[in-house]
Amino acid sequence: MPELPPLRRPPLPRCPVPRESHFLSFSRRFDSARERRPCGALTSASLAEHWELHAVWSRMEQNDSILGSLKIAPDVNDALLCGNPVVALESTIISHGMPYPQNLQTAKEVQAILKANGAVPATIAILDGVPCIGLNNEQLERLAKLGSKAQKTARRDISHVVASGGNGATTVSATMFFASKVGIPVFVTGGVGGVHRHAETTMDISSDLTELGKTPMAVISAGVKSILDIPRTLEYLETQGVTVAVYQSNDFPAFFSGSSGCKVPCRLDTPEQCARLIYANMKLGLGSGMLIAVPAPEEHVAAGNAIESAIKKALEEAKVKNVAGNAATPFLLSRVNELTGGASLLANIALVKNNALIGARIAVALADLRRSLKNGQPWSAL
């Protein structure tokens, strides 16, 4: 008989989420498991349940310190406790992506799309040194008005922004970090960072890619930003063990256009197929994330060529002005928007909204799948 660690019921954690009732439900499951575990009568089902419960409490204890430092919106909290679909959203696009009040309007419209399609939005940011999972209207407006005064916050910047009591707009990597800590499995954004052009000399590679390699979360985006080196970005993602899939296509998109010329091995045609992929990744414990790229809607592809020409010119200007590091992407996006007379920004907003629509459907399908499996339907992750 295998040696089992003792089943124990730790004290309720100090963090505000999950709520006490949720932890008590785990406690009741522990008591029930103990009662059903007479010596010498272990079954495969009871053994599996034992280890599942032990793993849950271990994760809760490990995350207790960070969860105690988070502020989680009530609607996000309730959805997580009930197993309802939640979709994480970054906040850099609000503070650094466009001017006020357009940024606030766009943020509200994206959240409305998620809600209309059955998912709870969880915009993530750091306000006064407190990481917030889910922002209310007042917090959204505050962040929108702060604009670039809010620090662009990747994973490396989190400790500094929190310790200094500052305001941080989270990038893809920081958003993934916080969302993963509270159990949000789906994250929608416009485009992820990647390997910058001429990275062989600059070594400019976004932390989004390494985060995807170590944080088990599905990122729904229009691919990587087209200002980047897409083939090298895909090579780097492969090195990091990241599953790259494309929604309803075999071609990896080039953000503003439907195809970059790069093929991917994984095509997903329905939200249910996406959900099964995400669930398999979770059950197998691979520890890495996945990127599900959604090609731009046809009506916005036509502008792709003009935008690509503007990108090339902006890249040349950035090189002349020696713009690099985390200042490169905001500069390039702003300059491309100027060169295209605002067309790139409008296309960017349309892409984010389309990604939100697909992401909400995927989150709903994942929640439905998890519920059906809890009700006893068979499943194999292999």
Side-chain angles (χ1 to χ4, degrees), residues 65-78:
S65 60
I66 184 169
L67 287 175
S69 303
L70 302 181
K71 182 177 181 181
I72 305 177
D75 58 339
V76 175
N77 179 42
D78 292 342

Side-chain angles (χ1 to χ4, degrees), residues 166-252:
N167 298 305
T170 54
T171 65
V172 168
S173 64
T175 303
M176 288 181 67
F177 172 80
F178 286 121
S180 176
K181 289 299 179 183
V182 299
I184 300 175
V186 178
F187 166 35
V188 163
T189 185
V192 300
V195 178
H196 281 255
R197 302 187 192 195
H198 312 297
E200 65 275 14
T201 57
T202 66
M203 290 301 292
D204 194 349
I205 301 173
S206 171
S207 63
D208 296 353
L209 303 186
T210 51
E211 196 67 38
L212 275 162
K214 60 188 175 187
T215 302
M217 175 167 295
V219 179
I220 318 299
S221 79
V224 300
K225 299 179 179 72
S226 52
I227 58 176
L228 305 172
D229 188 324
I230 294 177
R232 285 178 175 170
T233 296
L234 293 175
E235 289 289 346
Y236 194 90
L237 286 170
E238 181 183 0
T239 301
Q240 292 292 313
V242 177
T243 300
V244 177
V246 179
Y247 191 71
Q248 298 182 346
S249 177
N250 296 307
D251 298 321
F252 192 81

Side-chain angles (χ1 to χ4, degrees), residues 185-186 217-218 220 273-283 290 292 362-363 366:
V186 178
M217 175 167 295
I220 318 299
Q273 289 181 357
C274 296
R276 291 181 70 84
L277 178 69
I278 297 168
Y279 188 77
N281 187 72
M282 294 164 60
K283 292 296 287 183
M290 58 191 63
I292 301 177
I362 292 172
L366 179 60

Side-chain angles (χ1 to χ4, degrees), residues 151-164:
Q151 181 173 340
K152 184 179 178 183
T153 305
R155 172 190 267 261
R156 69 165 190 182
D157 308 302
I158 292 173
S159 297
H160 168 64
V161 177
V162 170
S164 63

